[in-house]
Amino acid sequence: MSFPRCALWWARLAAGRPAGQRAAGCSALRVPGALARVPASAAASSSASGGSKAPNTSLFVPLTVKPQGPSADGDVGAELTRPLDKNEVKKILDKFYKRKEIQKLAADYGLDARLFHQAFISFRNYIMQSHSLDVDIHIVLNDITFSAAHVDDLFPFFLRHAKQIFPVLECKDDLRKISDLRIPPNWYPEARAIRRKIVFHSGPTNSGKTYHAIQRYLSAKSGVYCGPLKLLAHEIFEKSNAAGVPCDLVTGEERVTVGQDGKQAAHVSCTVEMCSVSTPYEVAVIDEIQMIRDTARGWAWTRALLGLCAEEVHLCGESAAIDLVTELMYTTGEEVEVHNYERLTPISVLDHALGSLDNLRPGDCIVCFSKNDIYSVSRQIEIRGLESAVIYGSLPPGTKLAQAKKFNDPNDPCKILVATDAIGMGLNLSIRRIIFYSLLKPSINEKGEKEIEPITTSQALQIAGRAGRFSSRFKEGEVTTMNREDLSLLKEILNRPVEPIKAAGLHPTAEQIEMFAYHLPDTTLSNLIDIFVDFSQVDGQYFVCNMDDFKFSAELIQHIPLSLRVRYVFCTAPINKKQPFVCSSLLQFARQYSRNEPLTFAWLRRYIKWPLLPPKNIKELMDLEAIHDVLDLYLWLSYRFMDMFPDASLIRDLQKELDGIIQEGVHNITKLIKISETQKLLNLESLSPGSQSRLSGTLKGQARRTRGTRVVGNKAAEPPNPDVGGLPLTSRLVQQGLLTADMLRQLEKEWLMRQTEAGKEKAESGTYVKGTRRKKKETDSD
């Protein structure tokens, strides 16, 4: 190659790289021993950049660096030296990898053993598979082959490659600063600019603490109420307007402005996530402040507590939150004034368990912690000729209110309530006695892992406190359990002191994630969240909330082309990831958005296959609940992307109609359960883990005895004969409270009537089908 052409290539080489890389390339050509050339201060700085906590490098997902293809200018390195022998190069690279000094130096730059191995594999593949290499690395490899350079001289090139596949190594200091969550009060300068009065209304359920805070809210010139549920936000919205105080409503899915001209009212009732931290108020009320510890939603209470611009901030909740709130307000320079309240009506824990559903009385509420238990108990109550209302978390708010109204109505024949812990907040219920069907409840811990544990003292007090409320017709409350074995545990749980809350939740903002993405542009949103949480630094008074639901949505829509801000909004949409139709709807909505195709009323009607019919079984009821959640998702997105989700008012009307259909289904829920059992669409034997313990032995035993087969290991065994080796089945059922003498006589009558009808049908038809007769007998015996 001519000298001018060679000079031209060296000039391009020097100009085409940043200064640091040019220096590394030149020194690699001239000075043997790359280890000697690495400044000690640089390595120390890199090592220190991780801060006090070493990052979890398993979260660093390597990017792909493609090998270089044939160059239009030819292989300049080969022209300057000679073509490389791939076998010799492989030996050099293997020797480089095994050098302890190289591994130690790599660790100083943040490459632990795992990252070092991944980076080396990528580096080796790049070297071996490239048609032509950059001139500088080609020359160094050639020099090492002829012992004119040391194998360590490859380190600058290896490090450069490692930072290409792990870009987080290049910007750890910046990422640490972005994810520094140690002084949350400074995030809200408007709130810090005023001197706020903090009043904590502390007391148990039914103590009047929220009432006193709301009275101050109503008397103020302006105010904001922040509640944990849409139902509570609606309740305060209605109370405020009924009291002559104009009040707007703001939830994730709904905005209601009472002013005729559309002007915002001075008072607003909202869910806590929706409160404004920039609008000034005279009074703010934050309800259920103890939820600041919630692993998923606690960040919303932290944000409201630190950020609301109100002259007075009234907090309502458990005494367990007083110490933490006082500590947090100390960091803002604000004092906390505590008002303590006692329960307005007496409540007592009974000395006997319910034992049998035959012992139910009007005003009883059986609390279950799974839908299967809800269905099973409702069915058993219906068999006893009683009517029950049903309330659980996934029901639409309108259906919950309708069921509560039905139960509260003294003229309605429905006198029993079967519910989950959804009754703990947001519903005014006239309950005489709370009966815990089980004391075990599934929960999600801070790591996002599912656990089955006894309910906490706080949960037990919240649920038990619904009995004998001040505004109900029962002025004294009672609490007990379904099973005798649980009663002592319940008393123990209720007598424990409530553990003080130790930390408040935090959540990364969209702005913080955008800054992370600026530094890591090729990283997925889910991976960005993982790295943010790992790099984040928090004081002992805070924790980063669990973001598994966010990451689930991020992974679900990762392949859809969206801007980061839009993607972030879609991922914060509240969805139930256990509902496949809701998840697929989020995916479909995001896909439509990415195509710039508005989701119109007509499109959504076709998508959910409207009109819908009343449910004929439990599965269809659950499908309708999922569709209701999809309409909620549409409404939630419509307030973030109005142009793409333009028909919010029409969808809301559609949702109200669907609510009515669901109400009809829930009203007939025992019929749906019966049909589902017949069609084998509902397996009431698959009870919750809590129900599989002694805590719910009664109905579990009944489910076990009605099972067609039981699985032992991998084999199916025939059910035991109830009359072998013990009392007859009927006697045992009577002893266990599952069957009364009256019920037995009624069953005998029904059996005889059915046998008579079957005989008549046989005589009229003149035919006899053996298989049909056998099937009929099995159905009747069930």
Side-chain angles (χ1 to χ4, degrees):
M1 184 168 66
S2 66
F3 178 78
R5 185 180 176 198
C6 178
L8 175 63
W9 276 109
W10 280 110
R12 287 184 182 177
L13 174 65
R17 289 198 181 92
Q21 292 184 11
R22 292 200 299 273
C26 293
S27 60
L29 288 169
R30 294 172 185 167
V31 183
L35 297 182
R37 291 193 311 275
V38 178
S41 60
S45 173
S46 176
S47 177
S49 67
S52 58
K53 183 182 72 169
N56 179 7
T57 58
S58 66
L59 300 175
F60 301 170
V61 178
L63 302 179
T64 301
V65 178
K66 294 181 180 180
Q68 292 189 23
S71 173
D73 296 317
D75 192 345
V76 179
E79 292 184 26
L80 287 173
T81 57
R82 69 181 183 92
L84 294 173
D85 183 339
K86 293 292 185 180
N87 291 326
E88 290 294 326
V89 169
K90 186 175 184 302
K91 291 178 182 178
I92 292 170
L93 293 174
D94 289 343
K95 184 178 179 181
F96 173 83
Y97 177 72
K98 294 174 182 177
R99 293 268 296 163
K100 296 295 183 183
E101 293 84 353
I102 292 294
Q103 295 175 16
K104 183 178 182 301
L105 185 60
D108 290 340
Y109 279 87
L111 289 160
D112 61 11
R114 176 184 169 278
L115 295 187
F116 178 75
H117 177 74
Q118 286 184 294
F120 173 75
I121 296 298
S122 176
F123 182 61
R124 184 179 63 186
N125 290 341
Y126 174 81
I127 296 292
M128 300 299 293
Q129 296 173 15
S130 292
H131 283 79
S132 61
L133 296 171
D134 290 342
V135 175
D136 50 1
I137 192 170
H138 184 109
I139 293 175
V140 169
L141 285 169
N142 183 71
D143 288 350
I144 295 172
T145 304
F146 288 99
S147 300
H150 196 275
V151 67
D152 292 345
D153 289 345
L154 284 175
F155 184 79
F157 305 103
F158 167 75
L159 183 62
R160 183 175 70 195
H161 185 88
K163 289 181 178 180
Q164 282 182 288
I165 68 169
F166 294 116
V168 68
L169 298 173
E170 194 77 273
C171 53
K172 284 196 295 185
D173 288 342
D174 290 333
L175 297 182
R176 289 280 184 197
K177 292 175 183 176
I178 296 168
S179 57
D180 189 343
L181 308 179
R182 285 177 295 185
I183 315 178
N186 291 353
W187 303 349
Y188 309 102
E190 294 92 342
R192 302 291 77 79
I194 62 175
R195 181 74 175 176
R196 304 184 304 172
K197 177 182 178 181
I198 312 296
V199 182
F200 196 121
H201 300 268
S202 168
T205 303
N206 192 30
S207 61
K209 57 184 182 296
T210 307
Y211 170 81
H212 286 88
I214 293 300
Q215 291 304 113
R216 179 68 188 95
Y217 163 83
L218 294 175
S219 66
K221 295 178 182 177
S222 63
V224 57
Y225 168 83
C226 307
L229 301 171
K230 289 184 283 187
L231 282 173
L232 284 169
H234 270 275
E235 181 183 341
I236 301 302
F237 165 71
E238 291 169 356
K239 280 184 177 180
S240 183
N241 286 296
V245 179
C247 177
D248 293 340
L249 175 69
V250 177
T251 69
E253 300 80 15
E254 190 173 9
R255 310 283 193 279
V256 179
T257 304
V258 295
Q260 294 181 352
D261 55 356
K263 185 179 179 181
Q264 292 183 353
H267 288 70
V268 61
S269 178
C270 62
T271 46
V272 66
E273 287 88 350
M274 300 304 299
C275 69
S276 168
V277 293
S278 58
T279 306
Y281 301 102
E282 182 182 346
V283 170
V285 176
I286 306 175
D287 207 356
E288 305 294 353
I289 186 62
Q290 72 275 1
M291 288 192 70
I292 200 169
R293 68 181 163 204
D294 189 84
T295 56
R297 298 178 63 202
W299 63 270
W301 276 264
T302 305
R303 173 178 172 271
L305 175 63
L306 298 177
L308 281 172
C309 299
E311 297 171 22
E312 296 179 24
V313 179
H314 291 254
L315 313 174
C316 307
E318 299 174 5
S319 59
I322 293 177
D323 289 347
L324 176 63
V325 168
T326 302
E327 290 177 16
L328 297 183
M329 294 301 95
Y330 178 79
T331 64
T332 66
E334 295 162 328
E335 295 182 357
V336 180
E337 180 182 312
V338 180
H339 297 178
N340 291 300
Y341 301 84
E342 299 295 328
R343 185 177 167 89
L344 298 174
T345 56
I347 187 170
S348 59
V349 181
L350 301 180
D351 292 326
H352 57 274
L354 185 69
S356 167
L357 296 177
D358 291 327
N359 299 325
L360 288 171
R361 300 178 303 185
D364 278 350
C365 172
I366 303 178
V367 176
C368 308
F369 294 116
S370 81
K371 274 190 181 180
N372 262 341
D373 289 349
I374 290 274
Y375 299 149
S376 181
V377 172
S378 301
R379 182 82 173 94
Q380 293 300 318
I381 291 174
E382 192 255 353
I383 289 173
R384 286 161 170 76
L386 301 174
E387 192 173 338
S388 63
V390 173
I391 296 175
Y392 50 86
S394 60
L395 285 177
T399 304
K400 289 178 185 174
L401 290 171
Q403 289 289 296
K405 183 178 179 182
K406 176 183 175 183
F407 173 70
N408 289 337
D409 186 354
N411 300 318
D412 195 289
C414 172
K415 304 297 181 186
I416 309 296
L417 176 63
V418 184
T420 63
D421 53 343
I423 64 165
M425 294 181 191
L427 292 167
N428 292 316
L429 297 163
S430 188
I431 298 172
R432 179 205 301 271
R433 180 171 58 173
I434 289 285
I435 302 156
F436 285 95
Y437 178 65
S438 169
L439 294 177
L440 294 184
K441 181 186 177 191
S443 62
I444 305 296
N445 64 19
E446 292 182 10
K447 298 180 181 178
E449 301 165 337
K450 191 172 183 179
E451 297 178 335
I452 306 295
E453 292 183 335
I455 57 175
T456 64
T457 300
S458 176
Q459 291 167 337
L461 290 171
Q462 185 81 23
I463 297 168
R466 309 306 287 180
R469 286 181 65 82
F470 181 73
S471 57
S472 74
R473 61 182 188 274
F474 302 114
K475 300 307 178 186
E476 292 186 15
E478 297 175 342
V479 185
T480 188
T481 59
M482 180 72 188
N483 301 293
R484 183 179 55 192
E485 298 89 349
D486 299 346
L487 194 54
S488 58
L489 177 59
L490 176 63
K491 290 181 178 180
E492 180 188 337
I493 291 173
L494 290 173
N495 288 329
R496 290 176 194 158
V498 180
E499 292 186 8
I501 299 171
K502 298 178 180 178
L506 296 174
H507 189 287
T509 64
E511 291 76 16
Q512 288 170 321
I513 298 302
E514 280 183 335
M515 286 190 284
F516 248 58
Y518 172 79
H519 290 283
L520 306 172
D522 298 315
T523 305
T524 66
L525 180 55
S526 176
N527 194 217
L528 280 176
I529 293 296
D530 280 335
I531 296 173
F532 183 96
V533 173
D534 183 60
F535 272 60
S536 63
Q537 303 172 75
V538 295
D539 289 331
Q541 299 165 329
Y542 299 95
F543 67 92
V544 180
C545 285
N546 181 283
M547 299 189 67
D548 281 355
D549 288 347
F550 184 99
K551 287 165 53 186
F552 174 85
S553 296
E555 291 165 4
L556 187 67
I557 64 173
Q558 179 57 42
H559 64 285
I560 298 176
L562 298 168
S563 69
L564 181 66
R565 180 60 70 112
V566 170
R567 190 180 301 277
Y568 181 93
V569 173
F570 267 91
C571 293
T572 55
I575 65 167
N576 182 358
K577 63 183 180 183
K578 296 178 183 178
Q579 289 277 12
F581 183 63
V582 179
C583 297
S584 64
S585 298
L586 178 70
L587 185 62
Q588 184 64 34
F589 289 0
R591 186 177 291 117
Q592 290 280 112
Y593 184 99
S594 70
R595 295 171 182 163
N596 201 28
E597 298 175 2
L599 290 90
T600 62
F601 176 67
W603 180 91
L604 193 61
R605 277 173 60 98
R606 291 193 302 273
Y607 178 72
I608 63 174
K609 298 178 181 177
W610 190 269
L612 301 169
L613 299 175
K616 297 176 183 176
N617 52 54
I618 289 296
K619 182 181 181 302
E620 291 185 6
L621 176 61
M622 294 172 68
D623 290 344
L624 292 178
E625 292 170 8
I627 292 173
H628 191 281
D629 287 348
V630 169
L631 299 184
D632 259 348
L633 175 61
Y634 181 100
L635 293 171
W636 191 93
L637 291 167
S638 72
Y639 288 104
R640 280 82 182 168
F641 309 112
M642 294 183 182
D643 293 341
M644 299 301 293
F645 297 83
D647 296 331
S649 59
L650 294 173
I651 298 301
R652 182 164 290 106
D653 292 339
L654 195 70
Q655 192 181 46
K656 289 177 181 176
E657 193 173 340
L658 175 58
D659 202 338
I661 297 173
I662 294 175
Q663 287 181 36
E664 182 181 342
V666 174
H667 181 74
N668 300 315
I669 193 166
T670 52
K671 295 179 182 177
L672 303 186
I673 295 170
K674 188 174 181 180
I675 293 170
S676 299
E677 287 177 311
T678 304
Q679 298 175 348
K680 297 184 179 180
L681 296 172
L682 181 65
N683 180 14
L684 294 184
E685 299 155 23
S686 302
L687 300 176
S688 65
S691 304
Q692 292 169 4
S693 69
R694 294 180 63 199
L695 296 176
S696 54
T698 304
L699 287 179
K700 171 179 173 280
Q702 189 264 352
R704 187 168 56 243
R705 283 184 290 277
T706 58
R707 185 177 298 157
T709 60
R710 57 194 176 95
V711 177
V712 182
N714 294 324
K715 299 179 181 180
E718 291 300 319
N721 188 335
D723 295 324
V724 175
L727 294 172
L729 176 62
T730 52
S731 300
R732 293 204 314 245
L733 290 174
V734 170
Q735 282 185 358
Q736 294 168 4
L738 296 172
L739 195 64
T740 65
D742 290 338
M743 290 171 64
L744 182 58
R745 284 191 291 272
Q746 181 65 27
L747 286 172
E748 288 174 344
K749 288 180 183 179
E750 291 181 5
W751 172 259
L752 290 173
M753 289 175 63
R754 291 190 181 185
Q755 290 295 95
T756 303
E757 291 173 0
K760 288 180 181 178
E761 290 175 2
K762 175 188 170 185
E764 290 173 0
S765 63
T767 60
Y768 178 73
V769 181
K770 186 175 181 180
T772 305
R773 177 60 181 268
R774 186 186 299 117
K775 189 173 182 180
K776 180 69 175 176
K777 283 188 176 182
E778 290 172 357
T779 305
D780 290 343
S781 65
D782 287 342

